Every structure is written in structure tokens, then in C-alpha cells.
Amino acid sequence: MGQIVIAEFMEEAAVESLRAAHHTLYQPRLFEDPPALHAALAGARALIVRNQTRVDAALLAAAPDLKVLGRLGVGLYNIDLPACQARRIDVIPASGANADSVAEYVILAIGTLLRGAFGATAEVAAGGWPRDRLIGGREMAGKTIGIVGFGDIGRRVARLAEAFRMRILGHDPLIAATHTDWTETRTEMVGLEELLARADAVTLHVPLGPETRGLLSAPQLALMKPDAVLVNAARGGVVDEAALAAALRAGRLGGAALDVFETEPVPAGSPLAGVPNLLLTPHVAGATVESNARVSSLIAARVLVALAMC
């Protein structure tokens, strides 16, 4: 049995750093076989996961010696935190390691949605020339971006948006109006309704909880400009998917990009299927070659430190 068990993909260099210090079991698809995972955890002191492994009561019961839990990412929605706290298991997320990847995804998605020209490859290659239809694309410069949630990623989005000469609005009830984050990023702090009404592009950077579930539902979407675009690379459930699909189909919204969903993978019969002006990606906004290396090395180093202190 592995003293360190890695149940999902991790960069090989980081795995080797763990193997150099402790006996390590690395099976990147182990999360797909819960009985095998539970058996592997019988003597484990550390477990490393991404977002596919459900760290629940059954898993923790199978790991009586577990002291450290490394999360190759930031969100902890797949981890029973109270149960880990009761067991005094040190839960270690990779805070900040994929923030640049998410921020770049957001800006690229906004630019793609506003310009509207990048879906014409097959038509042009087949001899079509949809120039008249596509010359109505819009620039990012001079547009207003609304950032809901002004933590680390939200602030990075603001800095990138400033490089494109966008006006920046921000909303975060947890950050005081006097905080330097607003002035340092040249961001105007406003209420959520005002942000939705004024922004040409809205991006979400909030966790999923009782206060944010359905944060953007039909009434909030109705406040947005009919040509505005929306990006959600935060958490599924923050946007009401059926309401978003209805707004896009009715032409009450200019476009949207979703990287996260209420249910992942998206189930058959989803209201999102076949919706116009909608970009869908499979929860990869924070996953790049560079961020995977940063996340893996960070978690490897922190798990080793935590084990040394146990």
C-alpha cells in the first residue's frame, strides 16, 4: 500500500519528488474504481486528488491513518471539510497556482464572443465567404467588463482587461469599499444589479454556496444588455442554465461561455444543447501545461512539508 496515494493525474516530475521521499502509489484513474481506491488507502498517510474523487465519509473510513489531503486545484467542493476537520486531516489546496490560466481563459472567451468571427472555419474552407455577416464583430477596447467576485482571479482578470483598455466594474460584498484592491486595479465598485445593467461582458468568480447558487437566474439575466456576453469559469450552479439557454435562444443576450456546469459531465437532454452563441468547455479553464506543472509541484512540496510535521 502507498504511504502517499495519488488518485488522479499529476505531473510526473512532482510524482517523482514524492517517490524520492516516501513510498508512493500513483494511479491517475484510481478514482474510477472506489473499491480499489479504498483498499489502497488502508495504510496511506497522504492522499492527493483533483476534482473527480469524492472525499466523503466512506472514503475517510477506508483511510484510518490519513493525515494529509492534497487537492490539485482550488475548489474544495468534492471534499467533506467538516469530516476532515473532525479527523484533523490537513487539507491543502493549490491556491493561486492556476489563477493565470483562468484569467486568460476569461479574457479570451470575452474576446471570442464579442468578435464573433472564429466559428467560420468550415464555411470559409468550403468556399463560403460570410464577410457581410461577420463584419459586425466588436472590439474589447472601450467596453465595460463586470467582474463578480474580486478575489485573486477576479483581480487578475481586471489587470488583463485594463491592458485591452476596458472599463472595469467589480462587485464583491466581502471586500470593503476602502480596500486598495479597487484602486490598484482601477476598478469601480458597484452593486450587482448596477454591474449587470452597465457591463458589456460579465465574468463570475465566486464559490458555490447557498448565497451564490442561482446568483444569475432569469431576473438577473434580464438586467443585462441584450448584446452583453457572460462567462462562467467559477462553479456550476451559480448560473441558472435553463434561464441562460432561454435568454440566448430569445436573443436577449449576446453570447455566453461556460466552463463549469450544474452536473458534470453535462447530461443528455441538457437545455444547453444546440443553443446559439454559446461556447462550452469541459472544466478546463484552469488546466494548461503550465498550470498543471505549477499545481503539481506546489502540492507535492506542501504535502511533503505536512507529512514531515505529522
Side-chain angles (χ1 to χ4, degrees):
M1 300 300 176
Q3 187 175 5
I4 300 175
V5 174
I6 308 168
E8 300 185 54
F9 168 74
M10 190 175 190
E11 285 289 331
E12 192 61 37
V15 175
E16 289 304 317
S17 71
L18 295 170
R19 284 181 175 143
H22 297 278
H23 179 57
T24 299
L25 173 66
Y26 174 46
Q27 293 184 13
R29 310 300 297 184
L30 186 57
F31 70 92
E32 294 179 333
D33 188 349
L37 174 57
H38 290 185
L41 289 171
R45 295 179 64 222
L47 170 64
I48 297 175
V49 303
R50 284 186 180 269
N51 60 0
Q52 300 282 351
T53 307
R54 299 298 305 176
V55 182
D56 53 18
L59 183 144
L60 293 175
D65 299 325
L66 194 66
K67 300 297 182 185
V68 181
L69 176 62
R71 166 71 165 91
L72 294 162
V74 178
L76 301 176
Y77 50 87
N78 58 318
I79 297 170
D80 187 335
L81 291 175
C84 289
Q85 186 176 28
R87 283 271 306 274
R88 297 185 179 180
I89 295 170
D90 191 2
V91 178
I92 305 172
S95 300
N98 65 355
D100 281 336
S101 297
V102 177
E104 287 187 9
Y105 173 100
V106 168
I107 291 297
L108 291 169
I110 289 172
T112 299
L113 290 166
L114 288 175
R115 193 62 185 263
F118 299 106
T121 299
E123 188 176 354
V124 172
W129 201 247
R131 191 173 187 277
D132 289 343
R133 188 178 81 241
L134 298 179
I135 59 174
R138 293 172 286 164
E139 297 178 353
M140 295 174 67
K143 300 297 184 296
T144 298
I145 183 172
I147 304 172
V148 181
F150 214 65
D152 183 27
I153 296 175
R155 293 192 298 272
R156 295 184 195 222
V157 170
R159 294 186 186 100
L160 292 178
E162 185 179 11
F164 281 90
R165 305 195 308 281
M166 301 185 80
R167 293 185 292 269
I168 308 167
L169 306 177
H171 172 75
D172 195 321
L174 300 180
I175 301 179
T178 55
H179 201 287
T180 57
D181 284 344
W182 303 113
T183 54
E184 288 176 356
T185 57
R186 301 187 184 185
T187 299
E188 180 184 353
M189 177 186 174
V190 297
L192 179 60
E193 291 188 356
E194 181 179 350
L195 181 149
L196 295 174
R198 290 174 56 189
D200 300 294
V202 174
T203 177
L204 305 176
H205 300 285
V206 297
L208 179 64
E211 68 284 355
T212 59
R213 181 173 291 280
L215 182 67
L216 263 63
S217 298
Q220 293 76 32
L221 293 171
L223 296 173
M224 296 177 64
K225 298 177 181 179
D227 60 352
V229 300
L230 171 68
V231 179
N232 184 16
R235 292 288 172 259
V238 175
V239 175
D240 182 325
E241 294 173 1
L244 175 62
L248 289 168
R249 289 185 186 279
R252 298 194 303 271
L253 202 62
L258 302 180
D259 185 58
V260 290
F261 306 90
E262 181 77 33
T263 301
E264 298 179 0
V266 177
S270 166
L272 300 173
V275 174
N277 300 321
L278 177 61
L279 305 178
L280 305 179
T281 54
H283 205 147
V284 294
T288 60
V289 171
E290 294 84 358
S291 71
N292 281 332
R294 288 193 299 268
V295 164
S296 296
S297 62
L298 177 65
I299 289 301
R302 290 183 176 175
V303 165
L304 288 176
V305 169
L307 284 175
M309 297 176 64
C310 291

